Each structure stands twice: as C-alpha cells, then as structure tokens.
Amino acid sequence: MNDLILTFNTGSSTVKIGSFEWNGSSLHKSAKAGIDFAASPLSFHMERGKERLDLQLQSEASADIVSVLSEVFDKLSAHIDLTRIKAIGHRVVHGGDVFTGPALIDEGSIQAIDDLSAYAPLHQPKSLALIKAIHQLFPNILQTASFDTAFHRTMPDVNRRFAIPREMHDQGIKRYGFHGLSYQSIAQHFNELDPDLGRKKLVVAHLGSGASLCALREGKSVDTSMSFSTLDGIPMATRCGNLDAGVLLHLLSQQNMNADELTDMLYHRSGLLGVSGISGDCRDLLASEAPEAKQAIDLFTTRIAGEISRQATSLGGLDTIIFTAGIGEHQPEIRTHIARKLQWLGVELDGVANDKNAFRISTQSSKIAAFMLATDEEQVIAAETLTVLNQSSQ
C-alpha cells in the first residue's frame, strides 16, 4: 500500500492542503483541500478526482487551532486513509540565512523558525502554530519545513544588499525574496516542457493577492521584487509594494502613527484596495467603470511592466516571461495590459491564445516569448519532504 504525504501551505488567511501518494518511485497528488480562515464560521473545501466537497466547519475563526485541525482531519479521514501518512510537509515563509533548503521539524528547527518571526510577523507565527498543533494531534508523525526564501539564496550579493550601513546588513537586514516554492515549481515544470527555453533568461510573474516577480537564469534566482518583507516590490491586493521610506518617516513624525497602525495600513489597506477604494480583487476592478478602478489596474500593470524591465537588466537581457498564480493564470486582460506596456521590448501576445489561457500566449514572431504556466507549491513541498526523510534515514 502506498505511503501518504500531506502538505500544508499556510497563507495569510488560508491553508491549502495537498495529499500525495508515494509508491516508492513517484509522487502523485490524489486530493487537495483548503481552509478559509477569513470566513466565520470557517469554510472547508476538498477535491478528489471529480468529487468536490464544500462545507462550513463548526469552528469559528477565533477557535483554538488544535480544535480546528482536529475537525479538519476528521473531515479528511472520511475520504483519505490517514493511517498511511508517512510525513507532513509545511510551507514556511522565512528561512533567513539559517535554512538553505528543507529541514526536519525538531526542537532546534522550531526554535530557529520562531527566532525569524520578527522578519515575517504576519506569516511565521501561523506556520509555527500549525506545526505545533499537528504535533499535538499526531506526535509520532514526522514533519518537515520548506522555505520560500531558500530559492533566492543564489542571488548575487549586489542584489541582496540595501544601501544601508554594513553592520545592519550583517545583522540580517537584507533582501531575502519570497514565493520561492512557486518559482521552484515553475523552473522545474518549464524545464520539463522545453529544456532549451528553460536555460534562457526568464522573468516569472507570480501574480496573486500577494505578488512578486523573479528573474531566473538556468533555473536559479538572480533577482526578485520582494525583499526584506512581503511588502516590497509591485502593488498587491492590499499591500503597498515599493514605497519611499520617507513616507513612513512622515507618517511616524508628522501624523503620529504607531507601528500597529502602519502595519495595518501597509498590509491591509493599501495596494489595489487602497488606490481604488473599491476592492483588492482584479476581477472586481476590471468589471467596474469607476475611474479609480481603472487607475488601480493601470498602476498595478505599469509597476509590473517596470519591474520586468528592471529585472531584464539584472539578467543582461530577456528571452521569456512566464505568468503564474491566481491572476497570472486566469486573468488574460491583466496579461494584455502588461504586454502592451512592454511592446517596446518586442512583447507581442496572441490574442486568441491569451484569451484561452493557453501555454504559449505570445505570437511566434514575438521577440520575447510569453507563457502561462500553473504553479504547484504543494508538489514542491511534497518532494522536499521526501528528500528530508531520505536524508534523515541515512
């Protein structure tokens, strides 16, 4: 009987769960599920083949995470044989300079992850709480961690540094980069589909409610838009993206905002929502006739096009653009807006292919090829979980 690998991909308000069959030589995703912590009571969905389950949990958003997971595992057990679980792998946003790859969860790694919470205060504690809750429920099941920042350890020093005093860099204030598991997924999958193109100079646009871009050469990270925190880079659904540090000084000194107020504004009231005053969802903004909605879309796509151009400089040229994640995979109009702003670089989309969300969405004559490719962070987590298990057994 095949072993089972479960993966937990913890976001700011959701947890994506993957179930993978391991037959000793290959991994196959057999089911996926998710918990929406933004709903009250919490909502849960599960997909297995053609089977789809949508329901509300009895647990409220304020409930103890152990009781929430206990209810979730109870729902999963009706469809998945949980006695076959070999290990559980987690996405952890920040690995700092401590974790260069996946790691086995033990007391030492838990402490190291906790020590990095100051760098990712909105994400790290949630991952830790989930890890500890699962250990409480299943103390004998091994758990592993896969880190978003690890993929970007290949960035050259010039792209990791801020122009601040050297001692601050040495203390850990530097550009780390995020969405690494997504970029790793795209690099691996794209190379399988076309090894020749996979060796070229790529910019991958991971566009979702959280969004960033990454420049890749030979499948390795060279530069990325997110840096010290998940606030930097392009505007996002509710996050500001790149912002003059002088604005923060002004808000602190002239408007007497405190750290909590700044955090709320920067993470939850800015981005597409802040500019439009309508929504942080591109679908709502594209459907709106309000000038503020159009302005938000224009700002979003202009900043993305500008970041692609900047990363082309880091690469010394550009051969390919790949769009991925929720917006990148499913919203052709956003891709069209971005491509129009990059016509000067020679980007030319095939309108029919783009509207169909095809794999190649650029014309054959386009100087820079453009593709749409689905990301699968859970597959990467599952594969890394097996790697850690194999290493720990040697």
Side-chain angles (χ1 to χ4, degrees):
M1 185 176 292
N2 294 345
D3 289 324
L4 202 64
I5 302 292
L6 289 188
T7 62
F8 283 78
N9 184 343
T10 306
S12 55
S13 61
T14 62
V15 176
K16 298 176 184 177
I17 304 169
S19 172
F20 292 83
E21 301 279 342
W22 169 244
N23 62 10
S25 60
S26 63
L27 272 172
H28 169 69
K29 182 183 283 187
S30 56
K32 60 181 180 180
I35 313 168
D36 184 359
F37 284 90
S40 185
L42 306 182
S43 66
F44 173 80
H45 73 269
M46 178 179 172
E47 296 179 38
R48 186 178 183 185
K50 295 182 179 180
E51 179 186 14
R52 168 90 186 192
L53 175 69
D54 290 282
L55 51 84
Q56 288 185 331
L57 300 178
Q58 294 181 356
S59 302
E60 297 288 340
S62 58
D64 177 75
I65 186 63
V66 175
S67 63
V68 173
L69 284 179
S70 179
E71 186 178 357
V72 166
F73 277 109
D74 183 60
K75 303 298 183 187
L76 288 173
S77 65
H79 305 270
I80 299 172
D81 181 6
L82 300 182
T83 63
R84 296 189 289 119
I85 296 177
K86 185 178 181 65
I88 296 175
H90 296 266
R91 172 199 175 210
V92 177
V93 165
H94 218 303
D97 289 330
V98 180
F99 297 100
T100 59
L104 185 68
I105 296 294
D106 55 23
E107 290 185 8
S109 58
I110 285 178
Q111 184 60 56
I113 292 169
D114 194 17
D115 289 343
L116 291 164
S117 291
Y119 294 104
L122 297 187
H123 293 84
Q124 208 85 340
K126 293 177 181 177
S127 294
L128 274 173
L130 200 67
I131 290 168
K132 292 176 180 178
I134 290 176
H135 179 70
Q136 185 173 331
L137 292 170
F138 304 100
N140 296 322
I141 293 181
L142 293 176
Q143 297 188 79
T144 67
S146 294
F147 299 91
D148 263 331
T149 50
F151 183 75
H152 299 292
R153 291 297 299 273
T154 55
M155 287 196 304
D157 182 72
V158 68
N159 290 338
R160 297 201 76 196
R161 283 185 176 271
F162 294 119
I164 56 175
R166 295 187 67 87
E167 60 267 23
M168 292 184 178
H169 174 89
D170 295 340
Q171 291 166 4
I173 302 177
K174 62 185 71 171
R175 303 181 75 246
Y176 292 99
F178 300 92
H179 291 137
L181 299 177
S182 175
Y183 294 127
Q184 186 173 334
S185 170
I186 293 298
Q188 293 172 351
H189 192 191
F190 194 67
N191 191 60
E192 292 169 359
L193 294 170
D194 195 325
D196 181 58
L197 283 174
R199 286 191 292 268
K200 292 188 176 181
K201 299 167 183 175
L202 315 177
V203 169
V204 181
H206 176 107
L207 306 179
S209 58
S212 68
L213 292 93
C214 181
L216 291 88
R217 186 186 295 118
E218 297 183 355
K220 298 184 183 302
S221 175
V222 174
D223 199 353
T224 190
S225 58
M226 278 184 175
S227 60
F228 177 76
S229 76
T230 58
L231 285 173
D232 202 11
I234 61 174
M236 296 164 244
T238 63
R239 294 178 230 167
C240 60
N242 182 263
L243 182 67
D244 182 350
V247 173
L248 303 182
L249 294 175
H250 171 80
L251 294 175
L252 287 167
S253 62
Q254 301 301 315
Q255 298 193 18
N256 297 317
M257 290 183 73
N258 59 40
D260 289 340
E261 291 170 329
L262 277 175
T263 297
D264 180 59
M265 186 271 287
L266 296 173
Y267 277 99
H268 304 300
R269 296 192 290 112
S270 297
L272 295 173
L273 174 63
V275 174
S276 70
I278 297 170
S279 173
D281 192 320
C282 282
R283 292 167 295 187
D284 296 335
L285 300 179
L286 289 170
S288 174
E289 292 297 324
E292 295 86 355
K294 297 182 184 302
Q295 186 178 52
I297 291 294
D298 190 38
L299 177 62
F300 182 56
T301 55
T302 296
R303 294 290 187 269
I304 293 169
E307 181 63 21
I308 289 172
S309 305
R310 188 192 71 78
Q311 292 191 11
T313 299
S314 294
L315 288 166
L318 182 61
D319 302 306
T320 303
I321 301 169
I322 303 174
F323 294 93
T324 192
I327 298 170
E329 294 172 25
H330 303 295
Q331 296 185 22
E333 194 169 348
I334 294 296
R335 298 193 297 256
T336 297
H337 278 283
I338 296 167
R340 285 174 182 164
K341 299 175 192 300
L342 293 171
Q343 284 180 328
W344 68 275
L345 271 177
V347 178
E348 182 181 327
L349 293 192
D350 180 320
V352 174
N354 185 47
D355 288 343
K356 291 182 178 179
N357 294 323
F359 170 52
R360 181 175 179 126
I361 57 175
S362 59
T363 64
Q364 293 299 320
S365 60
S366 181
K367 292 181 181 179
I368 295 173
F371 297 86
M372 188 287 295
L373 190 59
T375 189
D376 193 342
E377 295 170 316
E378 288 77 31
Q379 184 80 35
V380 173
I381 297 169
E384 291 196 339
T385 298
L386 284 175
T387 297
V388 173
L389 293 181
N390 291 335
Q391 291 172 346
S392 63
S393 64
Q394 293 175 357

